[in-house]
Amino acid sequence: MKKTLVLVFHPSLNGQSHVNKALAEAAGELDNVTVRDEYALYPDGRIDVKAEQAAVEAADRVVFQFPLFWFSSPALLKEWEDEVLEHGWAYGAEGHAFEGKEFAVAVSTGSPESKYQPEGDNKFTIDQVLVPFEGTANHINATWVKPFVTFASFGITDEALAKAVEDYKAFLTK
């Protein structure tokens, strides 16, 4: 069974988050899954690069879990990428940390899937919105895994959230 590292980037996981909190808690119940709440670990935004790199090195699969903010990620995720994905470690001639690893994102959106269509309000599919993460996977020589998406998180029903939780567990264990 693959060792999976779930890096959760939500600035208010135990406050405003309903979906990401439920998904993170479910992930934490699984064998061979390690969950790291990055905002709790680094409330000042100062990332322990060596600790993060060690966590990645111990995993076979790395998942960034976050709510979509303005067609992008929360600020700490961008900072994590800038700091942790160092030349010579994650990429470059000597950078092999992600080779042989799977890389995925688990993202939640406030809007329904219908908004993420060429004819929808957002004009782009969710796969198009997440192209920078796929590009990152390619650049660090990781294997890109199709994203796990929870649409319409604002006002999600208990039944839909329960299904998302079960689907997420299946996603993390395949």
Side-chain angles (χ1 to χ4, degrees), residues 142-163:
T143 300
W144 178 246
V145 175
K146 185 168 177 51
F148 180 86
V149 183
T150 306
F151 289 102
S153 63
F154 296 145
I156 193 169
T157 65
D158 290 341
E159 295 79 20
L161 182 56
K163 180 171 181 350

Side-chain angles (χ1 to χ4, degrees), residues 53-82:
Q53 289 175 343
V56 167
E57 289 169 355
D60 301 309
R61 177 189 300 133
V62 177
V63 178
F64 289 168
Q65 180 188 317
F66 60 96
L68 197 63
F69 284 1
W70 288 105
F71 303 94
S72 190
S73 64
L76 188 62
L77 174 48
K78 178 63 173 113
E79 184 69 17
W80 190 99
E81 290 173 306
D82 291 346

Side-chain angles (χ1 to χ4, degrees), residues 80-128:
W80 190 99
E81 290 173 306
D82 291 346
E83 296 291 324
V84 176
L85 300 180
E86 294 177 318
H87 182 270
W89 181 78
Y91 66 98
E94 302 299 317
H96 305 288
F98 281 85
E99 285 182 7
K101 295 184 190 297
E102 293 180 353
F103 179 73
V105 298
V107 65
S108 60
T109 71
S111 300
E113 188 173 7
S114 62
K115 302 277 186 179
Y116 290 92
Q117 304 299 323
E119 65 281 356
D121 291 351
N122 296 330
K123 306 294 184 211
F124 298 98
T125 67
I126 195 68
D127 287 336
Q128 289 172 309

